[in-house]
């Protein structure tokens, strides 16, 4: 299969690291508070407070990480972030005091915040054109498969080892980061041409003065809030508004994870053939989000008493939203990579990643406030923000370079025809 054929030496090592990283994360992400409660023996309320505070403080790691990428290259920064998180999870079982846990939580949260934009910069260093789109889809697919596999492994360990299974999972996660770091060393060094050229002065001020990139980031913020609906809004909506039994809600996460893991690459490849531009592909994904969210509004209006019918409609909406994710995500992420100037790529992608961080920070309070008024209201809000996000993409299209907007820039297509005419 052509979409799995490596484009550079070390690509298999890079994607294996992504999969292993995701598998390790899958061992604790679904359990989160319970995981840290068993690993550290601290009270649940203290753990929740520390994780919230450190997560907010760790937002500062995004601009710092972006500047480090521009200074040292994405490879070195990525390896350091892997090792920082490995150290954090290796030491968590020893953090029985609140200060020790807070320090480790802050360090690992900072590494986790900075990692996605660093990985995006790494893709941009190693790939160009539609190969970036392919890698976006492949990494997302592997990430979802890894999360699902890690959750299954952790569940089996906890089932057989009891409470000690959480400590084992912590150390296995630490080991996964070490392996990912070792695999990263088998990939090409960051291009010296990007790092050693005279740096453009201004740093983040230049990002703030770039209207086209700011539109991309604002568009992503508008749509990223919708991405969080599966984990934050949907369970509350289904249980509190539709009165669906709690035990059935897990099926929505299983469907989403399975579809992302198995169909991410082929759906993205099909969409690239269907659309001429990344803007068009991203807008199509936004349109699917709107359709899914309107479907939830209709479901919340009818509120069928039959649980089987309610779950059928709800899962159908989840499937539609998942396809929206599979179409929008790779196109939007590659747009950001291609629009970022090479000399400031780290800073640009860190700024873009902040839209995800802000959406994740805002979503819990926004959704809980709205759903307490009316279960349909949050779906209406994120449907509107998805429409706004698609509109901002259209506005950005006029300002972005052709090689960012088009999968194959018109100039590249015209060159062979011009050469043939000249020889004729």
């Amino acid at each position: 299969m052509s979409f799995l054929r490596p484009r550079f030496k070390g690509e298999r090592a890079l994607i294996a690291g992504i999969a292993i990283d995701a598998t390790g994360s899958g061992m604790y992400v679904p359990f989160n508070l319970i995981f840290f409660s068993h690993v550290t023996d601290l009270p649940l309320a203290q753990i929740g407070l520390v994780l919230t505070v450190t997560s907010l403080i760790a937002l500062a790691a995004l601009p710092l990480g972006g500047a480090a990428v521009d200074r040292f290259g994405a490879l070195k920064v990525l390896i350091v972030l892997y090792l920082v998180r490995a150290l954090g999870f290796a030491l968590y079982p020893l953090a029985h005091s609140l200060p020790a846990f807070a320090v480790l939580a802050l360090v690992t949260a900072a590494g986790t915040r900075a990692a996605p934009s660093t990985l995006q910069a790494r893709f941009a260093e190693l790939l160009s054109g539609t190969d970036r789109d392919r890698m976006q889809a492949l990494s997302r697919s592997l990430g979802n498969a890894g999360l699902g596999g890690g959750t299954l492994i952790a569940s089996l360990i906890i089932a057989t080892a009891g409470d000690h299974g959480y400590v084992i999972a912590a150390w296995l996660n630490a080991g996964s980061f070490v392996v990912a770091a070792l695999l990263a060393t088998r990939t090409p060094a960051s291009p010296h041409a990007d790092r050693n050229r005279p740096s453009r002065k201004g740093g983040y001020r230049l990002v703030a003065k770039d209207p086209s990139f700011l539109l991309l980031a604002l568009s992503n913020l508008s749509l990223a809030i919708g991405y969080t609906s599966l984990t934050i809004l949907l369970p509350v909506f289904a249980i509190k508004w539709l009165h669906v039994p709690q035990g059935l809600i897990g099926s929505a996460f299983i469907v989403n994870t399975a579809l992302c893991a198995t169909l991410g690459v082929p759906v993205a490849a099909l969409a690239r053939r269907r659309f001429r531009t990344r803007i068009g592909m991203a807008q199509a994904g936004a349109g699917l989000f709107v359709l899914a969210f309107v479907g939830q509004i209709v479901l919340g209006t009818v509120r069928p008493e039959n649980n089987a019918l309610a779950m059928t409609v709800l899962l159908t909406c989840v499937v539609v939203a998942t396809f929206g994710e599979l179409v929008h995500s790779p196109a939007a992420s590659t747009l950001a990579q291609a629009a970022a100037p090479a000399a400031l790529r780290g800073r640009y992608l860190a700024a873009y990643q902040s839209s995800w961080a802000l959406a994740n920070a805002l979503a819990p309070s926004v959704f809980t406030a709205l759903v307490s008024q009316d279960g349909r209201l949050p779906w209406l809000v994120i449907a509107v923000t998805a429409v706004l996000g698609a509109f901002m993409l259209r506005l950005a299209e006029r300002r972005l370079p052709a090689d960012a907007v088009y999968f194959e820039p018109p100039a590249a297509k015209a060159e062979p025809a011009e050469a043939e005419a000249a020889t004729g």
Side-chain angles (χ1 to χ4, degrees):
M1 291 180 284
S2 62
F3 57 76
L4 294 178
R5 190 183 308 125
R7 267 54 170 188
F8 60 89
K9 184 179 180 181
E11 180 175 320
R12 287 195 175 95
L14 178 66
I15 61 177
I18 293 169
I20 291 169
D21 172 3
T23 301
S25 297
M27 294 182 188
Y28 85 95
V29 168
F31 308 103
N32 209 332
L33 290 174
I34 301 298
F35 173 90
F36 288 114
S37 175
H38 282 88
V39 168
T40 64
D41 295 326
L42 292 171
L44 203 61
Q46 289 184 359
I47 291 172
L49 178 62
V50 167
L51 290 178
T52 298
V53 173
T54 55
S55 180
L56 291 173
I57 296 174
L59 286 171
L62 270 171
L64 293 175
V69 167
D70 291 335
R71 175 66 180 83
F72 302 107
L75 176 59
K76 289 182 180 178
V77 178
L78 185 63
I79 291 172
V80 168
L81 294 176
Y82 277 140
L83 295 178
V84 162
R85 288 180 288 169
L87 181 64
F89 277 91
L91 295 179
Y92 268 131
L94 305 178
H96 298 299
S97 68
L98 187 61
F101 175 65
V103 170
L104 290 177
L106 179 59
V107 170
T108 52
T112 301
R113 288 290 192 192
S117 60
T118 303
L119 186 60
Q120 293 295 314
R122 187 67 179 138
F123 291 164
E125 285 181 349
L126 296 171
L127 296 159
S128 61
T130 56
D131 286 337
R132 288 179 179 172
D133 300 273
R134 178 189 63 89
M135 181 57 75
Q136 288 295 335
L138 182 57
S139 63
R140 190 170 187 84
S141 186
L142 288 171
N144 277 277
L147 284 171
T151 302
L152 178 60
I153 293 170
S155 299
L156 293 174
I157 292 172
I158 293 166
T160 55
D163 289 348
H164 296 295
Y166 289 98
V167 175
I168 295 171
W171 284 336
L172 285 175
N173 190 26
S176 75
F177 287 126
V178 173
V179 173
L182 290 173
L183 287 169
T185 64
R186 298 178 59 186
T187 62
S190 297
H192 291 282
D194 285 353
R195 299 203 315 276
N196 293 341
R197 69 179 60 177
S199 61
R200 295 172 62 184
K201 295 182 179 180
Y204 283 104
R205 289 196 299 273
L206 291 179
V207 182
K209 293 178 180 178
D210 188 334
S212 60
F213 198 85
L214 291 179
L215 278 171
L216 284 184
L218 287 172
S219 169
N220 195 65
L221 173 61
S222 299
L223 287 154
I225 296 175
Y227 274 80
T228 66
S229 64
L230 179 68
T231 54
I232 299 173
L233 171 59
L234 189 138
V236 178
F237 171 73
I239 294 169
K240 300 295 186 182
W241 188 258
L242 299 179
H243 306 297
V244 171
Q246 267 184 287
L248 298 178
I249 304 305
S251 57
F253 302 96
I254 294 171
V255 168
N256 175 265
T257 301
L259 290 176
C260 287
T262 57
L263 297 181
V265 174
V267 166
L270 180 63
R272 286 198 301 274
R273 290 194 294 270
R274 171 65 180 80
F275 296 97
R276 293 177 61 243
T277 67
R278 295 186 178 98
I279 294 286
M281 180 172 164
Q283 286 183 310
L288 289 172
F289 276 133
V290 173
L291 182 61
F293 300 154
V294 170
Q296 299 285 21
I297 294 172
V298 173
L299 177 61
T301 301
V302 177
R303 300 173 80 176
E305 295 183 4
N306 186 313
N307 285 330
L309 176 60
M311 282 303 300
T312 299
V313 177
L314 186 142
L315 289 177
T316 300
C317 293
V318 169
V319 169
V320 174
T322 301
F323 275 93
E325 178 182 340
L326 297 180
V327 173
H328 170 268
S329 178
S333 297
T334 308
L335 264 172
Q337 286 181 23
L344 293 174
R345 186 181 288 139
R347 290 174 173 87
Y348 265 72
L349 293 179
Y352 186 80
Q353 183 63 33
S354 68
S355 63
W356 289 105
L358 186 57
N360 286 322
L362 290 174
S365 57
V366 171
F367 287 157
T368 51
L370 292 174
V371 81
S372 63
Q373 301 299 316
D374 190 307
R376 298 163 295 183
L377 193 55
W379 295 111
L380 176 61
V381 169
I382 59 177
V384 171
T385 60
V387 171
L388 289 174
F391 177 69
M392 283 187 278
L393 282 171
R394 179 60 64 190
L395 292 178
E397 182 175 15
R398 304 170 187 173
R399 303 167 179 261
L400 292 170
D403 60 350
V405 173
Y406 289 87
F407 293 110
E408 294 182 29
K413 292 181 177 180
E415 284 172 6
E418 291 171 1
E420 184 178 344
T423 56

